[in-house]
Amino acid sequence: AAWQLHLGLLAKCIVAALVKQYWMDPAGKLHDLAGMASYMYAYSAYLFFDFAGYSAIAIAISHACGIRIPANFNRPYLATSIQDFWNRWHISLSTWFRDQIYMRFLLANTKAGWVKDKQLAASAGFGITFLLMGLWHGIAWHYVLYGLYHAALLSGHGYLGRALKDRPFTRGRAWTVASWFLTFNLVCFGFLLFSG
Protein backbone atom coordinates (compact mmCIF):
# COMPACT_ATOMS: atom_id res chain seq x y z
CA ALA A 1 0.00 0.00 0.00
CA ALA A 2 2.86 2.40 0.82
CA TRP A 3 4.54 1.77 -2.54
CA GLN A 4 1.27 2.39 -4.39
CA LEU A 5 0.69 5.57 -2.39
CA HIS A 6 4.13 6.87 -3.36
CA LEU A 7 3.55 5.99 -7.03
CA GLY A 8 0.18 7.75 -6.93
CA LEU A 9 1.66 10.88 -5.37
CA LEU A 10 4.49 10.86 -7.91
CA ALA A 11 2.08 10.51 -10.83
CA LYS A 12 -0.48 13.08 -9.67
CA CYS A 13 1.56 15.67 -7.81
CA ILE A 14 4.76 15.66 -9.85
CA VAL A 15 4.41 14.10 -13.31
CA ALA A 16 0.90 15.42 -14.04
CA ALA A 17 1.85 18.88 -12.71
CA LEU A 18 4.98 18.99 -14.87
CA VAL A 19 3.09 17.85 -17.98
CA LYS A 20 0.48 20.54 -17.36
CA GLN A 21 2.92 23.37 -16.67
CA TYR A 22 5.55 22.67 -19.31
CA TRP A 23 3.60 20.97 -22.10
CA MET A 24 -0.19 21.23 -21.91
CA ASP A 25 -0.56 24.89 -20.93
CA PRO A 26 2.00 26.16 -23.49
CA ALA A 27 0.46 23.97 -26.23
CA GLY A 28 -2.98 25.36 -25.37
CA LYS A 29 -1.76 28.84 -26.32
CA LEU A 30 -0.82 27.76 -29.86
CA HIS A 31 -3.50 28.26 -32.48
CA ASP A 32 -2.41 26.04 -35.33
CA LEU A 33 -2.73 22.37 -36.25
CA ALA A 34 0.63 21.43 -34.71
CA GLY A 35 -0.33 23.19 -31.48
CA MET A 36 -3.67 21.37 -31.39
CA ALA A 37 -1.92 18.02 -31.93
CA SER A 38 0.59 18.82 -29.19
CA TYR A 39 -2.23 19.82 -26.83
CA MET A 40 -4.10 16.60 -27.68
CA TYR A 41 -1.17 14.40 -26.62
CA ALA A 42 -0.31 16.61 -23.66
CA TYR A 43 -3.89 16.53 -22.35
CA SER A 44 -4.02 12.74 -22.80
CA ALA A 45 -0.78 12.37 -20.80
CA TYR A 46 -1.94 14.81 -18.13
CA LEU A 47 -5.34 13.12 -17.78
CA PHE A 48 -3.76 9.71 -17.35
CA PHE A 49 -1.13 10.70 -14.77
CA ASP A 50 -3.57 12.88 -12.82
CA PHE A 51 -6.41 10.37 -12.78
CA ALA A 52 -4.35 7.19 -12.43
CA GLY A 53 -2.32 8.88 -9.68
CA TYR A 54 -5.47 9.93 -7.83
CA SER A 55 -6.88 6.40 -8.17
CA ALA A 56 -3.66 4.82 -6.86
CA ILE A 57 -3.74 7.15 -3.83
CA ALA A 58 -7.37 6.25 -3.11
CA ILE A 59 -6.67 2.51 -3.48
CA ALA A 60 -3.59 2.71 -1.22
CA ILE A 61 -5.45 4.58 1.52
CA SER A 62 -8.38 2.15 1.27
CA HIS A 63 -6.03 -0.83 1.58
CA ALA A 64 -4.42 0.76 4.64
CA CYS A 65 -7.92 0.96 6.16
CA GLY A 66 -8.62 -2.69 5.34
CA ILE A 67 -10.84 -2.00 2.34
CA ARG A 68 -9.84 -3.80 -0.86
CA ILE A 69 -10.48 -1.82 -4.03
CA PRO A 70 -9.47 -3.26 -7.41
CA ALA A 71 -7.14 -1.41 -9.77
CA ASN A 72 -8.81 1.27 -11.87
CA PHE A 73 -6.22 1.39 -14.67
CA ASN A 74 -4.32 -1.36 -16.45
CA ARG A 75 -1.85 0.25 -18.90
CA PRO A 76 -4.66 1.69 -21.06
CA TYR A 77 -2.36 3.38 -23.58
CA LEU A 78 -1.02 -0.05 -24.57
CA ALA A 79 -4.47 -1.16 -25.76
CA THR A 80 -4.61 -2.58 -29.29
CA SER A 81 -8.32 -1.92 -29.86
CA ILE A 82 -10.94 0.47 -28.57
CA GLN A 83 -12.64 -2.42 -26.76
CA ASP A 84 -9.32 -3.32 -25.14
CA PHE A 85 -8.91 0.32 -24.10
CA TRP A 86 -12.25 0.37 -22.28
CA ASN A 87 -11.28 -2.84 -20.45
CA ARG A 88 -8.19 -0.99 -19.17
CA TRP A 89 -9.32 2.63 -18.62
CA HIS A 90 -11.34 3.81 -15.59
CA ILE A 91 -12.29 0.18 -14.99
CA SER A 92 -14.74 0.90 -12.17
CA LEU A 93 -16.83 3.28 -14.28
CA SER A 94 -16.63 1.39 -17.56
CA THR A 95 -17.50 -1.91 -15.86
CA TRP A 96 -20.50 -0.34 -14.12
CA PHE A 97 -21.81 1.15 -17.38
CA ARG A 98 -21.18 -2.13 -19.21
CA ASP A 99 -23.06 -4.21 -16.62
CA GLN A 100 -25.84 -1.81 -15.66
CA ILE A 101 -26.63 -0.12 -18.99
CA TYR A 102 -25.17 -1.97 -21.97
CA MET A 103 -25.80 -5.56 -20.87
CA ARG A 104 -29.26 -4.71 -19.50
CA PHE A 105 -30.17 -3.08 -22.81
CA LEU A 106 -29.02 -6.16 -24.75
CA LEU A 107 -30.97 -8.44 -22.41
CA ALA A 108 -34.11 -6.31 -22.74
CA ASN A 109 -33.65 -6.22 -26.53
CA THR A 110 -33.33 -10.02 -26.65
CA LYS A 111 -36.60 -10.40 -24.74
CA ALA A 112 -38.53 -7.67 -26.57
CA GLY A 113 -37.00 -8.12 -30.02
CA TRP A 114 -36.67 -4.40 -30.80
CA VAL A 115 -33.58 -4.86 -32.97
CA LYS A 116 -33.15 -8.23 -34.68
CA ASP A 117 -29.60 -7.85 -35.99
CA LYS A 118 -27.11 -8.56 -33.17
CA GLN A 119 -24.45 -6.13 -34.38
CA LEU A 120 -27.02 -3.36 -34.85
CA ALA A 121 -28.36 -4.07 -31.36
CA ALA A 122 -24.82 -3.84 -29.98
CA SER A 123 -24.36 -0.50 -31.78
CA ALA A 124 -27.61 0.81 -30.27
CA GLY A 125 -26.42 -0.37 -26.86
CA PHE A 126 -23.11 1.45 -27.31
CA GLY A 127 -24.96 4.60 -28.34
CA ILE A 128 -27.17 4.59 -25.25
CA THR A 129 -24.37 3.59 -22.88
CA PHE A 130 -21.81 6.13 -24.04
CA LEU A 131 -24.32 8.94 -24.41
CA LEU A 132 -25.15 8.40 -20.74
CA MET A 133 -21.46 8.10 -19.87
CA GLY A 134 -20.82 11.42 -21.61
CA LEU A 135 -23.66 13.06 -19.70
CA TRP A 136 -22.35 11.49 -16.46
CA HIS A 137 -19.28 13.71 -16.84
CA GLY A 138 -21.49 16.79 -17.25
CA ILE A 139 -24.23 18.33 -19.36
CA ALA A 140 -22.10 19.90 -22.07
CA TRP A 141 -21.84 19.38 -25.81
CA HIS A 142 -18.23 18.15 -25.66
CA TYR A 143 -19.10 15.37 -23.18
CA VAL A 144 -22.01 14.25 -25.37
CA LEU A 145 -19.76 14.36 -28.44
CA TYR A 146 -17.09 12.37 -26.58
CA GLY A 147 -19.63 9.70 -25.63
CA LEU A 148 -21.06 9.40 -29.14
CA TYR A 149 -17.55 9.32 -30.61
CA HIS A 150 -16.64 6.30 -28.48
CA ALA A 151 -19.96 4.63 -29.27
CA ALA A 152 -19.14 5.01 -32.98
CA LEU A 153 -15.62 3.63 -32.45
CA LEU A 154 -16.92 0.58 -30.58
CA SER A 155 -19.61 -0.03 -33.19
CA GLY A 156 -17.04 0.26 -35.96
CA HIS A 157 -14.75 -2.11 -34.08
CA GLY A 158 -17.56 -4.67 -33.93
CA TYR A 159 -18.28 -4.51 -37.66
CA LEU A 160 -14.58 -4.48 -38.57
CA GLY A 161 -13.89 -7.40 -36.24
CA ARG A 162 -16.49 -9.49 -38.03
CA ALA A 163 -15.19 -8.51 -41.46
CA LEU A 164 -11.57 -9.31 -40.61
CA LYS A 165 -12.19 -12.43 -38.54
CA ASP A 166 -9.68 -15.22 -39.28
CA ARG A 167 -7.73 -13.12 -41.79
CA PRO A 168 -4.06 -14.24 -41.69
CA PHE A 169 -2.60 -10.71 -41.71
CA THR A 170 -4.35 -9.88 -38.42
CA ARG A 171 -2.09 -12.29 -36.50
CA GLY A 172 1.30 -10.69 -37.12
CA ARG A 173 3.40 -8.28 -35.11
CA ALA A 174 2.97 -5.52 -37.71
CA TRP A 175 -0.83 -5.71 -37.28
CA THR A 176 -0.48 -5.49 -33.49
CA VAL A 177 1.75 -2.43 -33.72
CA ALA A 178 -0.54 -0.76 -36.28
CA SER A 179 -3.59 -1.55 -34.12
CA TRP A 180 -1.90 -0.04 -31.07
CA PHE A 181 -0.86 3.10 -33.00
CA LEU A 182 -4.35 3.63 -34.41
CA THR A 183 -6.06 2.95 -31.08
CA PHE A 184 -3.76 5.29 -29.19
CA ASN A 185 -4.36 8.15 -31.61
CA LEU A 186 -8.12 7.59 -31.74
CA VAL A 187 -8.22 7.63 -27.92
CA CYS A 188 -6.13 10.81 -27.77
CA PHE A 189 -8.45 12.50 -30.27
CA GLY A 190 -11.37 11.47 -28.08
CA PHE A 191 -9.73 13.17 -25.11
CA LEU A 192 -9.28 16.30 -27.22
CA LEU A 193 -13.06 16.27 -27.74
CA PHE A 194 -13.53 15.59 -24.02
CA SER A 195 -11.40 18.62 -23.13
CA GLY A 196 -13.83 20.90 -24.97
Side-chain angles (χ1 to χ4, degrees), residues 94-162:
S94 59
T95 301
W96 189 91
F97 270 93
R98 182 195 68 200
D99 294 346
Q100 301 302 321
I101 308 296
Y102 179 74
M103 295 305 294
R104 286 175 186 260
F105 169 79
L106 289 186
L107 182 62
N109 180 69
T110 300
K111 290 180 178 178
W114 302 316
V115 183
K116 302 296 183 187
D117 181 79
K118 287 184 179 179
Q119 193 59 53
L120 190 58
S123 295
F126 289 137
I128 293 167
T129 302
F130 279 86
L131 175 62
L132 291 173
M133 186 183 283
L135 290 171
W136 178 85
H137 286 94
I139 301 177
W141 68 268
H142 53 99
Y143 294 136
V144 171
L145 189 59
Y146 171 79
L148 294 177
Y149 171 76
H150 274 279
L153 289 181
L154 284 161
S155 297
H157 175 263
Y159 283 105
L160 190 62
R162 288 174 66 182

Side-chain angles (χ1 to χ4, degrees), residues 60-120:
I61 292 172
S62 297
H63 283 193
C65 296
I67 302 168
R68 295 290 171 186
I69 297 176
N72 207 25
F73 291 88
N74 181 19
R75 298 174 290 174
Y77 289 156
L78 296 181
T80 55
S81 73
I82 197 65
Q83 184 178 17
D84 186 26
F85 171 78
W86 279 107
N87 288 329
R88 295 167 174 260
W89 176 269
H90 202 344
I91 297 168
S92 58
L93 180 69
S94 59
T95 301
W96 189 91
F97 270 93
R98 182 195 68 200
D99 294 346
Q100 301 302 321
I101 308 296
Y102 179 74
M103 295 305 294
R104 286 175 186 260
F105 169 79
L106 289 186
L107 182 62
N109 180 69
T110 300
K111 290 180 178 178
W114 302 316
V115 183
K116 302 296 183 187
D117 181 79
K118 287 184 179 179
Q119 193 59 53
L120 190 58

